[in-house]
Amino acid sequence: MSPPAAVSPTFQGAELATTATATKASKVGLNGESKVQPGQSIDEMMGQWDNFKFAPIRESQVSRAMTRRYFQDLDTYAESDIVIVGAGSCGLSAAYVLGKHRPDLKICIIEASVSPGGGAWLGGQLFSAMVMRKPADAFLREIGVPYDDEGNYVVVKHAALFTSTIMSKVLALPNVKMFNATCVEDLITRPDEDGVRISGVVTNWTLVSMHHDDQSCMDPNTINAPLVISTTGHDGPMGAFSVKRLVSMQRIEKLGGMRGLDMNSAEDAIVKNTREIVPGLIVGGMELSEVDGANRMGPTFGAMALSGLKAAEEALKVFDLRAKQNAI
Ligand code: AHZ
């Protein structure tokens, strides 16, 4: 038996119209069954629940709709232009700037967690609001997040509002693909006059990575890219991944070790020092504090957004050169 033809996705997230009235007669068949109305608005559905029915589907269609796209994306992004490791506030900010300003580049985000966003869902000590010191308020205006102006700093009423807004903007960009529940297990390297150049990432599903100790032979996958931007946060079970790997491959001598909290010095240092640490690897956000021994800033997020901007700028400065080197 051949499966029924796919139903085209017509629902585009229409807003609830307050004025439209439902034309009930046109939606209900003669024998009372519900007709699927392509392009139907939410308002037209209201009050029609007795006759309501979803469009028919076969289970394999759901499976194929997901897997076809996923494997197509794996194929497309196996050669990426820029890989961003970690979808916290810094990684998402970098992805936003790069994806928006360079629609010609394929940007791939690898996020270890099922739920992207890193530590930016809450402000501090599990409080709801997020503080950003000026001039990072410019980034909130850019992405359209409202805030209270308190003088030298602004407050977003929910940190989750910042994170969900930037994420929705990033993920809607046609040249950005995020693979979540996927972690970077290693870096791809090439010989370089300075030692090594980073030319991509080695990935695995995070759940697989977590079981290397009790299951054998679960080899990883790879993504080639002339540039990697690593924003995996400060050291922890998953954090500071790329810079710890640079230490073990003897590309940097040792971790600088994140220092105690000093909001005033920490935020400026992270933004100013966001840079290419070894050819092909730019480090931003709190991961950088583990290279430079920078102070932490705690629950003030302006430096994460602006470090993302700087990481994007640094990436575009060297992109053409790294792309040329990576062609081999
Ligand atoms: O899941 C991690 C998180 O979403 C992800 N990640 C870590 N290791 C990974 C790996 N592969 C793929 N090997 C990985 N993904 O990276 C993300 C890091 O997000 P974050 O919010 O921890 O980092 P950030 O630098 O964007 O923001 C830091 C926020 C902090 S911590 C802090 C302090 O303690 O002082 N202050 C601020 C503002």
Side-chain angles (χ1 to χ4, degrees):
M1 177 187 156
S2 55
V7 178
S8 61
T10 51
F11 184 85
Q12 301 280 333
E15 286 178 14
L16 193 63
T18 49
T19 50
T21 48
T23 49
K24 295 180 185 177
S26 68
K27 295 201 299 288
V28 184
L30 290 177
N31 54 4
E33 86 282 15
S34 168
K35 287 182 182 174
V36 176
Q37 298 284 314
Q40 192 178 32
S41 73
I42 287 177
D43 205 48
E44 286 167 332
M45 275 186 239
M46 302 297 268
Q48 294 296 310
W49 305 116
D50 287 348
N51 298 313
F52 174 82
K53 197 164 174 20
F54 276 108
I57 200 154
R58 188 173 172 79
E59 288 76 2
S60 60
Q61 288 180 292
V62 177
S63 178
R64 285 174 174 155
M66 296 183 294
T67 55
R68 192 188 308 129
R69 282 170 178 77
Y70 197 85
F71 288 102
Q72 180 62 57
D73 286 335
L74 281 177
D75 183 280
T76 304
Y77 286 86
E79 284 284 352
S80 293
D81 291 310
I82 299 181
V83 172
I84 297 174
V85 189
S89 43
C90 182
L92 287 171
S93 302
Y96 172 81
V97 176
L98 286 168
K100 185 175 168 198
H101 293 288
R102 290 294 300 266
D104 56 313
L105 297 183
K106 276 191 282 180
I107 319 283
C108 176
I109 307 174
I110 305 292
E111 167 52 51
S113 175
V114 170
S115 45
W121 291 107
L122 290 159
Q125 201 181 311
L126 311 188
F127 300 142
S128 317
M130 173 184 266
V131 173
M132 281 205 187
R133 290 165 63 205
K134 292 182 178 178
D137 53 320
F139 192 64
L140 297 176
R141 288 193 294 280
E142 162 72 22
I143 62 171
V145 171
Y147 54 77
D148 293 332
D149 192 327
E150 307 258 339
N152 282 344
Y153 61 94
V154 299
V155 185
V156 180
K157 106 175 151 157
H158 290 106
L161 177 59
F162 167 78
T163 302
S164 57
T165 302
I166 181 131
M167 204 182 308
S168 69
K169 292 197 180 293
V170 165
L171 298 184
L173 292 168
N175 55 332
V176 173
K177 170 65 190 173
M178 178 171 66
F179 295 98
N180 49 335
T182 304
C183 72
V184 169
E185 284 194 342
D186 206 343
L187 302 169
I188 299 178
T189 63
R190 294 280 185 269
D192 182 82
E193 55 197 28
D194 294 333
V196 292
R197 179 170 51 79
I198 306 305
S199 57
V201 293
V202 177
T203 62
N204 221 324
W205 279 313
T206 306
L207 290 174
V208 172
S209 283
M210 290 164 70
H211 284 275
H212 284 311
D213 289 342
D214 56 66
Q215 302 285 324
S216 60
C217 290
M218 299 193 291
D219 265 332
N221 196 11
T222 54
I223 298 176
N224 284 107
L227 265 181
V228 174
I229 299 178
S230 193
T231 63
T232 66
H234 56 65
D235 200 3
M238 297 298 277
F241 174 80
S242 301
V243 300
K244 285 195 280 192
R245 190 69 185 97
L246 290 184
V247 174
S248 60
M249 64 169 83
Q250 298 176 337
R251 294 317 308 149
I252 56 178
E253 198 184 326
K254 59 181 172 81
L255 288 187
M258 183 179 71
R259 306 293 159 85
L261 192 151
D262 179 349
M263 288 185 185
N264 280 303
S265 60
E267 290 214 276
D268 293 11
I270 293 290
V271 176
K272 283 183 181 164
N273 293 321
T274 296
R275 64 192 186 281
E276 197 180 34
I277 299 285
V278 299
L281 182 75
I282 291 165
V283 177
M286 286 310 282
E287 184 167 2
L288 191 66
S289 72
E290 303 287 0
V291 181
D292 294 341
N295 291 97
R296 65 188 299 196
M297 72 287 297
T300 167
F301 285 81
M304 297 302 111
L306 298 190
S307 172
L309 260 65
K310 176 105 187 302
E313 191 180 300
E314 296 296 310
L316 295 178
K317 272 188 212 163
V318 294
F319 180 75
D320 289 344
L321 173 63
R322 298 289 171 243
K324 210 164 130 197
Q325 294 169 324
N326 197 53
I328 309 147

